[in-house]
Amino acid sequence: MINELILVICEFLLLILFVLVGVGYLTLMERKVLGYIQIRKGPNKVSIIGLLQPICDAIKLFTSEQIYIMMSNYYSYLMAPIFSLFFSMLLWLSLPYFMNMISFDLSIIFFYCCISMNVYPLMIAGWSSNSKYALLGGLRGVAQTISYEISLVLIMMSMVFLIDGYNLILFMKYQEFIDMIMFMFPISLVWFMISLAEVNRAPFDFAEGESELVSGFNIEYGGGGFALIFLAEYMMIMFMSFLFSLMFLGMNMFSFMFYVKFMLILFLFIWVRGTFPRFRYDKLMYLAWKSFLPFSLNMLLFIIGYKIIMYF
């Protein structure tokens, strides 16, 4: 029993380590791709073609001086980035693992719980900094995340009705012969756009609108605090890409082609950032409530109706 527990802890630590390394090299990939989109070079000085750049960035961020604001709510200000990273790490436990780790039948509900908790660190980081820019960025981020979460849950519920269960492993089972994107292409596009809004990525990055809010809710964070918020955001991007690949581009999670598709979705996240201008905030909220919400509700009712007809 003790040996099994030690093994599980070691596997979790390995998972966290690989995800963190993946986040580091995702930032390198983003800077390289954005560089070539803008017809310039990305990072290319540190080692061969800049391969050690993420490690240098991490050392720079975690060794720079941490400034504590006198007028801030000290403990909330300090803990918000830590909880943000913690909830992003928890998300990774909901993916199906075929080893002696964690595998449960309600992984989709666990995903709902973790993604809804991500709002709180964002709100607390904005409020506890005691800065008007940070507070406005936090309020925008919370409103945006809650608005798009509803459509995200409804679309995932329609997928749950299709696969008849809350276990993510079922997506692999039901896509053995054909990918879901072949007959659910509109839903996959809406899911991708909701994922962009959910992780505060361009063109929906209003929590961090540099042009008007000067970095938004994380403006007062520097060094380690900023690095933790940054890591949490990129972990979410990787997780949503993984989930998209699993839900719509299915096949075995342990095949090489699955990871090629995963990298393609990550590339799409970066490509969108490099090509699309930022939305207007009111249009973003209209898109959530007047376009995506009716679409996802209709899709859910359609799939429930389809399943009822199939049963009878």
Side-chain angles (χ1 to χ4, degrees):
M1 186 68 185
I2 297 293
N3 290 344
E4 282 185 12
L5 185 64
I6 291 167
L7 188 64
V8 168
I9 290 167
C10 290
E11 284 167 350
F12 280 139
L13 290 173
L14 268 176
L15 169 68
I16 289 165
L17 179 68
F18 286 136
V19 170
L20 289 172
V21 171
V23 165
Y25 281 94
L26 172 61
T27 61
L28 179 67
M29 176 185 166
E30 179 172 37
R31 290 168 73 182
K32 286 278 188 186
V33 171
L34 288 176
Y36 285 112
I37 285 172
Q38 295 157 4
I39 321 174
R40 60 179 175 82
K41 289 283 184 190
N44 62 344
K45 298 295 180 195
V46 185
S47 81
I48 306 159
I49 60 166
L51 281 177
L52 293 182
Q53 186 68 49
I55 296 163
C56 295
D57 288 341
I59 292 166
K60 184 200 78 174
L61 281 169
F62 284 108
T63 54
S64 59
E65 186 183 357
Q66 184 73 46
I67 296 166
Y68 300 108
I69 304 155
M70 289 291 290
M71 299 299 287
S72 69
N73 197 318
Y74 181 76
Y75 291 108
S76 307
Y77 171 80
L78 205 63
M79 294 303 288
I82 297 165
F83 276 108
S84 182
L85 185 67
F86 175 70
F87 290 131
S88 295
M89 281 180 176
L90 267 186
L91 272 175
W92 283 88
L93 300 184
S94 61
L95 285 178
Y97 300 104
F98 294 98
M99 58 186 97
N100 191 19
M101 280 176 64
I102 188 165
S103 180
F104 45 91
D105 291 334
L106 303 175
S107 47
I108 290 175
I109 292 179
F110 183 77
F111 162 71
Y112 288 159
C113 296
C114 290
I115 206 163
S116 58
M117 288 299 288
N118 259 322
V119 174
Y120 295 103
L122 193 151
M123 178 175 67
I124 291 164
W127 167 77
S128 63
S129 300
N130 202 19
S131 159
K132 287 185 173 59
Y133 282 130
L135 183 62
L136 281 170
L139 289 173
R140 277 184 176 193
V142 169
Q144 175 181 327
T145 308
I146 290 172
S147 301
Y148 279 89
E149 240 168 49
I150 298 164
S151 303
L152 180 131
V153 167
L154 287 171
I155 285 177
M156 204 152 190
M157 283 307 294
S158 60
M159 304 296 283
V160 165
F161 279 109
L162 269 183
I163 63 172
D164 285 326
Y166 289 99
N167 197 336
L168 287 167
I169 293 174
L170 293 169
F171 282 112
M172 283 193 277
K173 179 185 163 188
Y174 278 83
Q175 295 180 85
E176 199 172 338
F177 302 109
I178 186 168
D179 295 348
M180 281 204 181
I181 198 166
M182 302 300 281
F183 54 94
M184 299 189 80
F185 186 68
I187 289 190
S188 68
L189 285 180
V190 171
W191 175 272
F192 182 72
M193 286 188 275
I194 289 170
S195 300
L196 285 171
E198 196 64 31
V199 297
N200 292 321
R201 285 291 287 180
F204 306 123
D205 55 338
F206 290 97
E208 303 171 12
E210 291 91 353
S211 52
E212 65 252 359
L213 289 183
V214 203
S215 189
F217 73 97
N218 59 9
I219 186 169
E220 302 295 349
Y221 288 96
F226 171 77
L228 294 182
I229 291 170
F230 189 80
L231 280 171
E233 185 183 325
Y234 276 77
M235 268 189 192
M236 280 281 290
I237 292 166
M238 279 180 69
F239 182 81
M240 295 307 277
S241 303
F242 216 104
L243 206 56
F244 185 97
S245 307
L246 194 64
M247 284 168 58
F248 297 105
L249 307 174
M251 75 189 304
N252 191 356
M253 238 178 80
F254 305 103
S255 67
F256 177 72
M257 276 308 294
F258 181 83
Y259 290 91
V260 171
K261 291 174 179 179
F262 169 56
M263 290 302 292
L264 178 68
I265 302 303
L266 281 177
F267 173 75
L268 281 178
F269 268 88
I270 299 164
W271 194 10
V272 166
R273 180 182 174 182
T275 50
F276 281 85
R278 186 176 283 124
F279 245 46
R280 229 172 57 197
Y281 190 72
D282 59 329
K283 288 193 173 184
L284 172 93
M285 299 308 273
Y286 280 139
L287 186 69
W289 293 105
K290 293 192 174 179
S291 298
F292 288 167
L293 184 62
F295 175 83
S296 48
L297 271 171
N298 282 321
M299 210 67 219
L300 179 63
L301 292 172
F302 169 74
I303 287 171
I304 291 170
Y306 169 75
K307 292 296 279 189
I308 291 168
I309 291 165
M310 288 299 287
Y311 278 129
F312 292 106

